Amino acid sequence: MSQPTIESILSENRVFPPPAEFAQNASIKSLEEYQQLYERAKADPAAFWAELAEKELHWFQKWDTVLDWKPPFAQWFVGGKINISYNCLDRHLTTWRKNKAALIWEGEPGDSRTLTYAQLHREVCQMANVFKQLGVKKGDRVGIYMPMIPEAAIAMLACARIGAPHSVVFGGFSAEALKARLVDAEAKLVVTADGGWRKDKIVPLKDAVDAALEDNGAPSVENVLVVKRTEQKISMESGRDHWWHDLQPNASADCPAEPMDSEDMLFILYTSGTTGKPKGVVHTTGGYNLYTHMTTQWTFDLKDTDVYWCTADVGWITGHSYIVYGPLSNGATSLMYEGAPRPSNPGCLWDVVEKYGVTIFYTAPTAIRAFIKMGEHHPNARNLSSLRILGTVGEPINPEAWMWYHKVIGGERCPIVDTWWQTETGGFMLTPLPGATPTKPGSATFPFPGILAEIVDAEGNPVGENSGGYLVIQHPWPSMMRTVYGDDERFRRTYWEHIPPKDGKYLYFAGDGARKDKDGYFWVMGRVDDVMNISGHRLGTMEVESALVSHPAVAEAAVVGKPDEVKGEDVFAFVTLEGEYEGSETLVRELKQHVVQEIGAIARPGEIRFTDALPKTRSGKIIRRVLRSLAAGQEFAGDTSTLEDRSVLDKLRGSS
Ligand code: 6R9
């Protein structure tokens, strides 16, 4: 099992203090310094954030109120006017950073491009003007469905510039999933590309957009802007579809950033929850700008000489906060890579590190486990001496993978920052600060200054040392999600009522289980709800179940995560069939393909098992813990007294 177990964590006693020389040169240099900062922030969070907001960001107009907290709805820097695209671009143009590389981009086939801050600013202004020309106004939503090319970041910043919230949809999602998101967000414009490169193949993005819009599938969409990337043939619908390269040359590079209210919506990003319908997580402008700015600066101990590389896709929150907004707001050089390790080039990531002298490298545990499998001769054959900080995100990292990362990639000299956070939190919540925090393999260590994290029981009472409980946040923070798009009730129910509020005190429930050790280190154990974590990507069991039952052969489906050495978890589906169908290899293949079509390749079940019945309670609820054990190949040892029909269990075992 690759996820850390309680046993493996309790026996993990290794501690890695920041190297002395590293700490000396870091902006936060010791644990004491972190603790002082933390205590100061805790004593008066509003004053702490206000001071940083004033010092670190440009405001067109200062706020009247730092925090307006009417649980569960928070507003930060109320009355303030700000534009995140201005903070990411314009303000650097009056400094030497004007000609510093803002984005370094490497395409999968080996083509590359570097955009300085001045060049990026110019392209963002042009695209913003094209958006306006296509009828996009402040407040209109724009869908972005792009490969990892600079225009993805350009489109996001162009939206932010004119105050049109973006909704980026990961390019690996299917046409069906794209359509559902465009419809929910009522997007007016979609920005896409003819295709993108993914493991030596072309991902036909424009075809998927066409399929999503077919038969008026997303009626709000009026125009589609298409960037040429792969040059394969696509169809262009006249009046609706426009090539970026046709419109760009005539677009003015003058487009002043729109002064936005601090609480104006910056973006919607859909994420999986416990129901079949993904949630539109809403983030706003001022607080998100400040928090992603500070977390990038302190957690990666940014210097102007850094070449920073986060390997995520801009379709996920990690790409939003830590490829685009956080790094650019700090005037950093952010690297974007279109490709992924593939049979034709398993060492490609290390080539990129060597080619650009990457200093900060941020990736996911699932990727690290895949690197381990591919063999250390790949990294060993490259010069990785430029690296000075490593990071991980997306799921708990098992101590073995941590140690490999530390030794083979970090040469035992690079601090590792294991950052725990979520789409909903906007930025890092638990993380080491590389010059200050002694790390323990597998622990995300301590909360970021200003974050009041705790581990509690179902009533909201803090649990003792090393007892497992729910990870909660006790005080609002600037980049917290503001609501579920169009559904305040779902927001309240999902995050704030799971643990009942007491005496007007609300706890943010993250959905993760965790424990704290004797030194106060947090150890995140994983989701406690029906959300799976497949290769660091969130996927709801219900989402996959809904996809399966939409196939005519399927009567009922129950999906669980099965431990997987590389992916962390893999999708395992138990399926009962409609009377006239019979289970076969062909049907398994067909159902897998059906899920890919409904959601995308990340949701493809690793295994589908046909069964006559599913284990249920008397009230008809599927007992997933039984299925989880079976999927893991373990005997189910727990209580089965709630099971309605015990013979189901024997049958399930028999069919295994
Ligand atoms: C940023 C991101 C959030 C869920 C979260 C948790 C898991 C993320 C983690 C981690 C342990 C870490 N998670 N980082 N678990 N240690 N360092 O991944 O956002 O896609 O919304 O997923 O991922 O379970 O609740 P998102």
Side-chain angles (χ1 to χ4, degrees):
M1 195 161 151
S2 57
Q3 301 245 329
T5 60
I6 294 171
E7 289 70 33
S8 75
I9 279 168
L10 289 178
S11 63
E12 183 53 68
N13 293 318
R14 288 171 288 200
V15 181
F16 294 82
E21 205 189 313
F22 186 100
Q24 255 168 31
N25 295 315
S27 60
I28 297 163
K29 300 178 197 309
S30 66
L31 194 57
E32 293 68 44
E33 206 178 312
Y34 156 76
Q35 281 160 345
Q36 280 164 14
L37 203 56
Y38 188 82
E39 289 308 320
R40 187 153 68 80
K42 186 177 168 185
D44 190 348
F48 175 77
W49 292 118
E51 192 185 306
L52 291 168
E54 177 104 58
K55 180 167 153 262
E56 296 284 333
L57 300 181
H58 175 270
W59 297 83
F60 298 114
Q61 185 184 302
K62 203 181 156 176
W63 56 89
D64 310 309
T65 311
V66 181
L67 169 63
D68 175 2
W69 178 220
K70 293 191 183 69
F73 301 102
Q75 299 194 67
W76 283 88
F77 308 110
V78 185
K81 297 267 186 199
I82 186 168
N83 186 297
I84 196 169
S85 143
Y86 186 96
N87 277 312
C88 287
L89 301 168
D90 304 55
R91 63 169 169 160
H92 304 312
L93 302 187
T94 53
T95 71
W96 69 269
R97 291 193 183 112
K98 180 177 178 185
N99 297 319
K100 175 180 174 176
L103 288 180
I104 295 177
W105 172 77
E106 177 85 5
E108 191 181 270
D111 45 348
S112 62
R113 231 181 124 189
T114 296
L115 286 129
T116 63
Y117 273 93
Q119 290 167 326
L120 183 61
H121 173 261
R122 185 184 164 82
E123 295 227 1
V124 168
C125 287
Q126 286 183 313
M127 198 179 278
N129 279 326
V130 166
F131 287 177
K132 285 187 190 165
Q133 197 184 316
L134 295 175
V136 177
K137 288 190 283 299
K138 184 173 173 173
D140 289 340
R141 273 81 58 213
V142 173
I144 298 179
Y145 186 63
M146 292 281 267
M148 280 290 286
I149 56 177
E151 286 78 4
I154 292 168
M156 291 165 75
L157 291 160
C159 284
R161 196 158 188 89
I162 61 172
H166 52 71
S167 172
V168 184
V169 179
F170 171 56
F173 277 125
S174 68
E176 278 301 315
L178 170 66
K179 178 162 82 181
R181 286 156 175 77
L182 293 175
V183 167
D184 191 79
E186 295 168 290
K188 201 166 174 185
L189 168 75
V190 179
V191 187
T192 190
D194 51 354
W197 287 105
R198 179 86 197 158
K199 301 196 175 177
D200 301 321
K201 289 199 192 85
I202 289 172
V203 184
L205 295 164
K206 176 61 166 58
D207 295 354
V209 172
D210 291 345
L213 300 185
E214 207 172 63
D215 299 330
N216 210 15
S220 56
V221 175
E222 293 170 5
N223 291 289
V224 178
L225 183 64
V226 188
V227 178
K228 187 171 268 188
R229 166 69 187 128
T230 48
E231 308 209 0
Q232 90 275 21
K233 219 175 141 30
I234 55 164
S235 65
M236 294 289 281
E237 192 180 300
S238 98
R240 185 195 73 181
D241 300 346
H242 316 266
W243 284 110
W244 165 234
H245 63 255
D246 284 342
L247 301 182
Q248 186 188 13
N250 298 321
S252 156
D254 180 22
C255 178
E258 180 72 23
M260 303 299 290
D261 280 336
S262 175
E263 279 300 328
D264 276 338
M265 180 160 56
L266 175 62
F267 64 85
I268 307 170
L269 184 59
Y270 288 84
T271 190
S272 297
T274 50
T275 71
K277 188 175 178 254
K279 300 175 280 224
V281 170
V282 170
H283 282 288
T284 58
T285 308
Y288 177 85
N289 192 165
L290 177 65
Y291 197 75
T292 51
H293 179 94
M294 290 319 305
T295 46
T296 308
Q297 190 180 111
W298 287 348
T299 306
F300 293 120
D301 185 44
L302 271 188
K303 309 268 190 255
D304 259 319
T305 43
D306 277 317
V307 177
Y308 162 88
W309 182 17
C310 164
T311 67
D313 189 285
V314 290
W316 307 111
I317 190 69
T318 307
H320 283 58
S321 301
Y322 299 110
I323 293 177
V324 181
Y325 292 117
L328 298 180
S329 181
N330 280 286
T333 297
S334 184
L335 194 146
M336 268 177 103
Y337 180 47
E338 185 189 28
R342 50 202 184 275
S344 67
N345 193 354
C348 59
L349 299 196
W350 317 123
D351 285 336
V352 173
V353 171
E354 186 176 282
K355 177 170 174 188
Y356 295 103
V358 171
T359 58
I360 305 170
F361 181 72
Y362 184 41
T363 195
T366 184
I368 298 168
R369 292 190 297 265
F371 303 150
I372 298 175
K373 270 207 145 164
M374 286 184 268
E376 64 177 75
H377 56 283
H378 295 297
N380 286 347
R382 276 80 174 183
N383 180 355
L384 305 183
S385 62
S386 56
L387 291 171
R388 62 180 204 97
I389 298 176
L390 303 176
T392 75
V393 58
E395 54 178 317
I397 181 164
N398 45 314
E400 301 71 35
W402 196 101
M403 287 306 299
W404 187 91
Y405 200 29
H406 171 69
K407 285 192 179 135
V408 179
I409 306 303
E412 301 187 30
R413 78 183 172 272
C414 304
I416 296 180
V417 290
D418 175 354
T419 60
W420 174 83
W421 61 295
Q422 312 177 293
T423 306
E424 292 88 338
T425 70
F428 306 151
M429 302 301 278
L430 299 176
T431 179
L433 300 181
T437 316
T439 50
K440 300 187 185 186
S443 168
T445 74
F446 304 121
F448 195 79
I451 301 304
L452 276 58
E454 193 45 273
I455 297 168
V456 300
D457 61 20
E459 275 76 52
N461 304 309
V463 299
E465 184 182 304
N466 277 325
S467 321
Y470 300 118
L471 181 47
V472 297
I473 311 297
Q474 300 163 310
H475 189 275
W477 65 101
S479 67
M480 64 198 276
M481 79 182 278
R482 297 304 195 257
T483 190
V484 172
Y485 187 64
D487 199 345
D488 285 350
E489 260 326 291
R490 189 170 175 197
F491 173 62
R492 184 192 291 276
R493 226 176 29 243
T494 312
Y495 303 101
W496 303 96
E497 287 178 351
H498 192 91
I499 295 162
K502 257 195 314 219
D503 314 324
K505 274 203 129 352
Y506 278 68
L507 299 178
Y508 168 81
F509 169 69
D512 281 301
R515 62 183 58 238
K516 248 196 287 187
D517 70 14
K518 63 178 188 341
D519 305 317
Y521 280 67
F522 283 77
W523 299 81
V524 180
M525 314 294 298
R527 303 291 303 195
V528 293
D529 52 11
D530 292 328
V531 172
M532 298 173 287
N533 192 323
I534 314 294
S535 299
H537 300 317
R538 265 167 81 163
L539 196 61
T541 49
M542 285 272 285
E543 239 176 305
V544 184
E545 287 163 7
S546 311
L548 282 165
V549 296
S550 72
H551 188 282
V554 177
E556 226 181 351
V559 166
V560 293
K562 172 189 173 173
D564 182 274
E565 222 182 280
V566 174
K567 295 176 164 183
E569 276 186 300
D570 199 1
V571 179
F572 194 116
F574 294 87
V575 165
T576 66
L577 294 174
E578 293 288 356
E580 66 271 33
Y581 289 89
E582 249 183 69
S584 67
E585 277 307 309
T586 321
L587 187 55
V588 166
R589 273 198 302 277
E590 193 178 316
L591 291 180
K592 286 184 180 176
Q593 197 42 41
H594 182 70
V595 173
V596 173
Q597 223 169 61
E598 291 291 308
I599 305 175
I602 52 165
R604 184 199 308 272
E607 208 168 323
I608 293 180
R609 184 174 296 175
F610 298 115
T611 168
D612 322 335
L614 293 167
K616 288 187 189 168
T617 61
R618 287 180 187 86
S619 59
K621 212 168 175 290
I622 292 169
I623 311 177
R624 278 174 216 279
R625 55 202 162 82
V626 171
L627 297 175
R628 270 197 288 269
S629 305
L630 288 170
Q634 292 158 355
E635 193 45 43
F636 183 70
D639 177 22
T640 54
S641 59
T642 51
L643 200 62
E644 190 202 27
D645 174 4
R646 282 169 186 249
S647 69
V648 169
L649 207 54
D650 298 324
K651 282 191 201 137
L652 278 169
R653 276 197 207 104
S655 62
S656 61

